Amino acid sequence: MTKHWVAPRFGGSEVLEYVDVEVPAPGPGEVTIDVRAAGMNPADTKHTRQGDPSDLPIAVGYEVAGVLSAVGPDTEIASGGGAVGDVVLAFRVAGGWAERITVPAADVFAKPATLGFPEAANLLLAAATAADMIRVTRAEGRDTVVVHGASGAVGVSLLQLLRPLGARVIGTASERNADTVRRFGGEWVAYGDGLETRIRELAPSGVDVALDCVGTDEAVDVSLALVADRGRIVTIAAQGRAARDGFPAVGGGQPESKAFRDSVRQRLIDLAGAGELEVPVARTFPLAEAKAAAELLESQHPGGKLALIP
């Protein structure tokens, strides 16, 4: 038996329960990971808020890093090989907020030695989302790009992935997060009243691409005002506005996005291992304190990534 966080009914962090579960031995194409760190993402508790009642209880957590403790017959992990004792990271999994988890080997990769467990456990969901947004908008080196919510996990990944392309990036954030935007290569601008004017003053020649990580009406309205081609605006958080105003919204559940995000996992791991894609971790919590960590995550002001440590 091992400890595992689940949502026995629909809701946010308040419904989570810490329960004992039996972890199955890995079959062909599966491995068991002793979790050293579980990543935390807003999607973790968003997933528990509604759905099909037959899916309850819902196991929580999409990404982990740890050590292989068992390998199924005739099985290799996605990056090749895989033996008991190897250090790995995994995404996308179900039930990562746990001490131990058995998962498909196709979602497991060797962890670069340069990445700590908390960083590795928080790399792929945010970075793959960012890469998908760049794909959809075809952002490239000659573009001026606005990133709404540039100091958040996806925003920071966007800044780092856009920088080697040579794009000019303007990032919106609060004043207290201005240094984060600048640190990762963006030009900071404060959100709030007058945002469109401030961006126009920074970019009098115009804006080519808008990447929305926050989903506010302000972010959408400013994007629509600044970017002529609505196909070069994308959101991960304002699906209703996207449908109404005719621009793309992406999510990991969309078949094309899921396939793309899965396809770029190894490239993102390689970038992180080479020091070209950083994962800022603000704080770690014991696994048993996941509810407190989730409350901080839901506050939308964690100051960086959070990780649970069994």
Side-chain angles (χ1 to χ4, degrees), residues 81-94:
V84 171
D86 286 356
V87 291
V88 296
L89 59 93
F91 169 77
R92 156 183 321 111
V93 302

Side-chain angles (χ1 to χ4, degrees), residues 116-122 183 278-284 302-307:
F117 285 112
E119 289 78 13
N122 275 294
R183 175 186 168 196
E278 184 179 339
V279 182
V281 174
R283 188 174 172 186
T284 63
K305 296 293 289 185
L306 307 176

Side-chain angles (χ1 to χ4, degrees), residues 36-41 97 116-122 153 183 279-299 301-310:
R36 296 290 183 266
M40 301 190 73
N41 296 280
W97 293 10
F117 285 112
E119 289 78 13
N122 275 294
R183 175 186 168 196
V279 182
V281 174
R283 188 174 172 186
T284 63
F285 288 77
L287 180 63
E289 298 177 14
K291 288 187 77 166
E295 289 170 4
L296 176 59
L297 183 67
E298 289 171 346
S299 77
H301 297 289
K305 296 293 289 185
L306 307 176
L308 302 173
I309 308 299

Side-chain angles (χ1 to χ4, degrees), residues 28-47:
E30 296 180 326
V31 298
T32 299
I33 301 171
D34 286 351
V35 177
R36 296 290 183 266
M40 301 190 73
N41 296 280
D44 295 337
T45 53
K46 180 180 179 182
H47 176 61

Side-chain angles (χ1 to χ4, degrees), residues 19-293:
V19 299
D20 291 311
V21 298
E22 186 172 350
V23 179
E30 296 180 326
V31 298
T32 299
I33 301 171
D34 286 351
V35 177
R36 296 290 183 266
M40 301 190 73
N41 296 280
D44 295 337
T45 53
K46 180 180 179 182
H47 176 61
T48 68
R49 292 185 180 276
Q50 59 185 356
D52 186 338
S54 66
D55 292 334
L56 296 169
I58 298 170
V60 185
Y62 287 117
E63 54 185 339
V64 301
V67 178
L68 292 181
S69 57
V71 177
D74 302 317
T75 295
E76 285 194 351
I77 63 174
S79 54
V84 171
D86 286 356
V87 291
V88 296
L89 59 93
F91 169 77
R92 156 183 321 111
V93 302
W97 293 10
E99 294 174 327
R100 182 178 299 111
I101 185 171
T102 294
V103 299
D107 297 317
V108 180
F109 300 80
K111 182 183 78 66
T114 52
L115 280 186
F117 285 112
E119 289 78 13
N122 275 294
L123 169 65
L124 285 177
L125 191 151
T129 300
D132 195 23
M133 297 174 79
I134 293 171
R135 172 190 68 88
V136 168
T137 56
R138 309 177 310 282
E140 57 186 11
R142 62 189 177 190
D143 289 329
T144 296
V145 181
V146 170
V147 176
H148 296 283
S151 64
V154 176
V156 165
S157 293
L158 281 167
L159 293 175
Q160 295 179 85
L161 293 175
L162 288 164
R163 184 167 53 191
L165 299 179
R168 180 189 181 192
V169 185
I170 297 168
T172 76
S174 65
E175 186 172 1
R176 68 187 181 91
N177 290 317
D179 287 344
T180 298
V181 176
R182 296 186 182 113
R183 175 186 168 196
F184 292 106
E187 298 175 49
W188 170 71
V189 61
Y191 59 71
D193 290 345
L195 175 60
E196 180 186 342
T197 299
R198 290 192 293 277
I199 294 176
R200 289 189 185 280
E201 288 172 351
L202 276 175
S205 297
V207 172
D208 304 291
V209 175
L211 308 173
D212 170 36
C213 305
V214 293
T216 61
D217 283 335
E218 174 189 71
V220 172
D221 291 341
V222 169
S223 298
L224 292 169
L226 293 172
V227 179
D229 181 352
R230 294 195 178 190
R232 306 198 79 193
I233 301 169
V234 69
T235 184
I236 58 172
Q239 284 77 7
R241 288 294 306 271
R244 185 161 65 251
D245 294 310
F247 62 92
V250 295
Q254 298 171 355
E256 187 174 356
S257 283
K258 182 180 185 300
F260 174 79
R261 295 180 194 196
D262 285 351
S263 76
V264 297
R265 290 177 295 184
Q266 187 63 65
R267 179 170 71 87
L268 296 169
I269 293 167
D270 292 342
L271 287 172
E276 297 172 16
L277 182 56
E278 184 179 339
V279 182
V281 174
R283 188 174 172 186
T284 63
F285 288 77
L287 180 63
E289 298 177 14
K291 288 187 77 166

